[in-house]
Amino acid sequence: MDLDIDLRSDTVTKPSDAMREAAANAEVGDDVYRDDPAVNELERRAAEAVGMEDALYVPSGTMGNQIAVRVHTERGNELLLDAEAHIYRWELAGVAQLSELQTRTVETGERGVPTAEQVRSGLVDEDLHRPGTGLLALENTHNYRGGTAIPKARIDEAAEAAHEAGVPVHVDGARLFNAAVALDTPASELVVDVDSVMFCLSKGLGAPVGSILAGSEAFVEEARRVRKLLGGGMRQAGMIAAPGLLALDNVDRLAEDHANAARLAAGLDALPGLAADDPDTNIVVVDTSEAGVPADEFVPACKERGVGAVAFDDYVVRFTTNLGVDADDVDEAIDRVAEIVA
């Protein structure tokens, strides 16, 4: 059966007709020469949206994170981050391969961001024997910890502790605007005390391609060089940047995804053997252990019924609501999952 209710990720969204039209009609130029009008406008508006001096359009969130790590650090530094951070868990050891860093992880628990005390304890001073901490990386929302929306005070507290030691702070904000909507706080306020932030246009905001890396003018200038080094120098990129401009107008509708996620979590939690906490945003994490169905069996069973999901752990499955799924789809998905645990 086709995945007619695809809850694997918010990356599965399809561009709207308006986005396709914008792509077709985009005025384009060579972005490496900074000649593409759509890219230039996207970068300007994106920087404004997160309160940064400048921004850079990159092909993916992973590339944006890896560029940030490379720019902020020197070879042989340590990167301090949560033990379940996307940069650490899901980016192919890029910080080791591309920036030659050592990682130091912190177990932050459900909230996903280290306390000021944990940051201070994790920082390493450079000396004859030790490499020195080059960067603190935070994540908001936190993917592996269930789309947790991290409040401004938690980000500020961790950033202040790092800055006291002269350590810069980067935020992996792939779903930053989900956090902003959930917390009713402007995205720019959530990152006001950090040095750089990456956010995705291609998740809940619905663009087909691309992410934004933002920071100071000097940071972005160096990031542009690293983007070129990593093969991210694009030519007539306006054809993918133009839909990104429309994506920036999709922030408010993320509340619909959050409402659908809450509806899905409640429905799944009511099924025998399944446990789902109330989600902060659009990610629903389901424990299948009491049903006795491991994730590597549960996910294929969902797929057989046309429902997309992903395995997160041995008995943990993730469902992610998105703009391609409405409340009726959520109710139908619950009914289909019920067949698995009946």
Side-chain angles (χ1 to χ4, degrees):
M1 178 183 284
D2 293 334
L3 292 178
D4 57 319
I5 306 175
D6 197 344
L7 297 165
R8 289 174 297 170
S9 174
D10 42 14
T11 61
V12 302
T13 58
K14 301 296 194 298
S16 65
D17 290 342
M19 287 184 178
R20 293 175 186 271
E21 183 177 349
N25 297 324
E27 182 181 355
V28 298
D30 191 321
D31 179 45
V32 172
Y33 292 123
R34 306 192 192 186
D35 288 344
D36 193 292
V39 173
N40 294 341
E41 177 64 8
L42 176 60
E43 291 174 344
R44 184 194 68 78
R45 282 188 55 194
E48 185 177 81
V50 291
M52 296 289 181
E53 290 180 357
D54 205 354
L56 181 68
Y57 184 44
V58 295
S60 72
T62 292
M63 180 180 283
N65 282 335
Q66 294 301 323
I67 291 172
V69 170
R70 173 107 180 192
V71 172
H72 282 306
T73 62
E74 297 179 0
R75 184 177 66 180
N77 282 161
E78 278 196 353
L79 170 65
L80 181 65
L81 74 177
D82 173 51
E84 302 294 353
H86 192 280
I87 291 175
Y88 179 70
R89 189 178 178 104
W90 304 113
E91 297 187 11
L92 290 171
V95 299
Q97 298 197 70
L98 303 174
S99 297
E100 300 185 43
L101 300 185
Q102 177 167 287
T103 51
R104 179 176 294 271
T105 60
V106 178
E107 182 51 63
T108 64
E110 293 180 359
R111 299 315 297 174
V113 168
T115 64
E117 181 179 353
Q118 286 178 311
V119 171
R120 294 187 184 103
S121 297
L123 295 174
V124 175
D125 291 329
E126 181 181 350
D127 62 22
L128 182 61
H129 306 286
R130 309 189 76 185
T133 305
L135 179 66
L136 169 66
L138 308 176
E139 187 172 333
N140 198 12
T141 66
H142 199 297
N143 177 25
Y144 192 75
R145 297 192 186 277
T148 304
I150 313 297
K152 169 179 162 55
R154 293 292 300 273
I155 299 290
D156 292 351
E157 175 186 313
E160 181 180 0
H163 287 155
E164 287 172 356
V167 174
V169 181
H170 170 67
V171 170
D172 172 358
R175 296 180 175 89
L176 180 69
F177 289 98
N178 289 92
V181 169
L183 298 167
D184 194 25
T185 304
S188 57
E189 286 298 307
L190 292 177
V191 295
V192 70
D193 285 338
V194 307
D195 301 282
S196 62
V197 60
M198 181 282 296
F199 69 86
C200 292
L201 299 164
S202 56
K203 289 187 168 67
L205 300 182
V209 181
S211 294
I212 294 292
L213 178 61
S216 68
E217 290 183 0
F219 169 83
V220 170
E221 190 63 26
E222 182 60 25
R224 193 176 297 275
R225 286 174 51 82
V226 177
R227 183 188 71 170
K228 186 69 162 60
L229 172 67
L230 298 182
M234 297 178 285
R235 301 305 178 180
Q236 288 69 41
M239 297 184 72
I240 51 175
L245 283 164
L246 297 182
L248 291 176
D249 296 327
N250 276 343
V251 172
D252 289 343
R253 67 143 306 278
L254 294 174
E256 299 174 27
D257 293 345
H258 298 176
N260 285 333
R263 185 185 188 101
L264 179 64
L268 294 177
D269 189 64
L271 297 178
L274 300 186
D277 293 333
D278 293 335
D280 281 2
T281 54
N282 66 321
I283 293 176
V284 176
V285 177
V286 180
D287 188 317
T288 65
S289 56
E290 287 193 14
V293 184
D296 61 4
E297 295 179 13
F298 191 90
V299 169
C302 288
K303 184 177 180 180
E304 289 175 3
R305 292 161 175 81
V307 177
V310 295
F312 246 33
D313 212 330
D314 291 345
Y315 284 91
V316 179
V317 175
R318 186 190 78 172
F319 297 85
T320 307
T321 55
N322 56 76
L323 61 76
V325 175
D326 61 22
D328 290 340
D329 293 323
V330 167
D331 291 342
E332 178 64 23
I334 294 168
D335 289 343
R336 296 182 190 180
V337 172
E339 298 173 4
I340 301 171
V341 296

